[in-house]
Amino acid sequence: MKLLVTGGAGYVGSACSARLVEAGHEVVVVDDLSTGHADAVPDGCRLVQADVADVASALLGEGFDGVLHFAAKSLVGESMQDPTKYWYGNVLTTLRLLDAMREHGTPRLVFSSTAAVYGEPDEVPIPESAPTHPTNTYGATKLAVDHMITSYAAAHDLAAVSLRYFNVAGAYGRFGERHATETHLIPIVLQVATGHRDQVQIYGDDWPTEDGTCIRDYIHVTDLADAHLLAVESATPGRHAIYNLGNGTGFSVRQVIEACREATGHEIPAQVAPRRAGDPAVLVASSDQARTELGWKPERPDIATIVRDAWTFTQSR
Ligand code: UDP
């Protein structure tokens, strides 16, 4: 297939582009490089450096079999302080993209949605049927896009899949996490091991969990890339399928720090700090639907493997 990948210079977008190329698909990346890196675009992909909203129509006019839409604003804290950036960047841009797809009859879409659409969950593991009550603007914009996609699939026969990621981590070879503003736990802990930070702060140790720290479902970016490949290949016209992607197992902040100590051999000092606003205590996915319908199975569920691959990537930089 000839596929347009928006945000293909970012962490998840570049890893997925590499996986698509490896599977024999032709990939064109569109990315404004606001947070991505030109050198992260895999070999064999054409890079168009532009804002998706500006070029979607012209590009899709070339004729594509599908779009994988990763380009987005994705910092939770920033989304609360500057909502305009998120409603424009995530919702309006995707509306322009969907309209360009309708205009040119592009048949398939795979969208990067998020566990943040669920907010504070009533039940864990979280199934796709759980109520959606996002607690931040980032999650609200992703949920709005999911609703838009449902309408377009029904009205225009679009074959669409939204993948709701839990905590993506690890690296796929040379495709790993390198954000200018790092907020995610594993890269922050590894920055202590490389000497770029003195210690890690644990955001609260009085949560209702076994060791008192928050529990998250960490999923290896390579497993995530496999799910995108299956999603684009199996999308069905007129249907908007939604799948949670996680391992179904949670690890606490303390367990993650311990895994990083083992992987790096560094003592990694940690200090308990106040809770971070908007953090739920436990987020773990039920990915049963992705397993049954997509035939997807995470091959690297172990936190030691996830951290080891992230560490190998970090050391290579
Ligand atoms: N966390 C932490 N210290 C940090 C960064 C994160 O204790 O410096 C915690 C955070 O409160 C959450 C977990 O680690 O419970 C994962 O946070 P991250 O930002 O990586 O992902 P999120 O779950 O917010 O998407």
Side-chain angles (χ1 to χ4, degrees):
M1 284 191 261
K2 183 174 176 185
L3 301 169
L4 183 67
V5 175
T6 76
Y11 169 43
V12 177
S14 62
C16 290
S17 296
R19 186 73 192 87
L20 293 166
V21 169
E22 210 180 82
H25 296 294
E26 180 186 347
V27 171
V28 176
V29 166
V30 55
D31 199 306
D32 64 2
L33 302 183
S34 57
T35 53
H37 310 270
D39 65 0
V41 175
D43 296 338
C45 300
R46 185 174 122 214
L47 168 63
V48 177
Q49 186 183 340
D51 188 313
V52 174
D54 296 340
V55 296
S57 181
L59 273 174
L60 290 175
E62 290 177 15
F64 280 84
D65 300 299
V67 176
L68 291 99
H69 183 36
F70 298 94
K73 305 293 170 204
S74 63
L75 297 176
V76 169
E78 185 187 58
S79 78
M80 302 303 283
Q81 279 140 22
D82 188 2
T84 312
K85 187 170 174 178
Y86 282 72
W87 289 101
Y88 270 101
N90 293 351
V91 179
L92 206 64
T93 299
T94 310
L95 186 57
R96 299 279 290 275
L97 175 66
L98 281 168
D99 249 354
M101 292 179 71
R102 183 182 51 81
E103 180 190 353
H104 297 290
T106 314
R108 284 179 198 81
L109 174 70
V110 177
F111 174 61
S112 300
S113 188
T114 169
V117 300
Y118 297 115
E120 188 76 53
D122 301 330
E123 57 173 316
V124 176
I126 306 171
E128 291 81 356
S129 57
T132 43
H133 302 299
T135 52
N136 53 63
T137 303
Y138 165 68
T141 61
K142 288 284 183 174
L143 182 59
V145 172
D146 275 344
H147 288 313
M148 280 184 347
I149 295 172
T150 302
S151 334
Y152 271 70
H156 305 302
D157 231 20
L158 182 67
V161 180
S162 285
L163 299 174
R164 291 183 173 161
Y165 312 161
F166 281 63
N167 289 63
V168 188
Y172 181 41
R174 72 177 188 89
F175 307 101
E177 212 165 350
R178 45 180 172 132
H179 298 121
T181 312
E182 196 48 79
T183 61
H184 291 129
L185 180 63
I186 293 175
I188 283 179
V189 177
L190 295 179
Q191 283 175 354
V192 181
T194 55
H196 289 88
R197 240 176 236 268
D198 293 337
Q199 58 176 13
V200 58
Q201 294 198 317
I202 296 173
Y203 296 149
D205 69 346
D206 55 354
W207 296 93
T209 61
E210 204 166 308
D211 68 13
T213 66
C214 287
I215 293 178
R216 294 289 181 273
D217 186 336
Y218 296 88
I219 170 168
H220 199 296
V221 70
T222 309
D223 287 331
L224 199 77
D226 285 343
H228 285 76
L229 185 60
L230 293 166
V232 75
E233 288 176 348
S234 69
T236 310
R239 177 169 183 231
H240 179 202
I242 298 181
Y243 301 112
N244 288 343
L245 294 181
N247 284 309
T249 313
F251 294 97
S252 72
V253 173
R254 284 199 194 282
Q255 286 175 317
V256 169
I257 296 172
E258 199 46 51
C260 291
R261 288 183 179 128
E262 277 166 32
T264 61
H266 191 285
E267 64 174 314
I268 310 185
Q271 190 187 46
V272 177
R275 289 182 176 192
R276 186 172 66 176
D279 263 345
V282 181
L283 284 180
V284 175
S286 162
S287 297
D288 293 352
Q289 219 156 293
R291 289 168 196 257
T292 320
E293 293 186 16
L294 288 179
W296 175 73
K297 182 173 167 286
E299 302 289 345
R300 303 152 194 85
D302 190 17
I303 194 70
T305 310
I306 293 173
V307 165
R308 183 202 63 205
D309 291 353
W311 179 232
T312 305
F313 171 78
T314 304
Q315 285 177 300
S316 73
R317 304 283 324 148

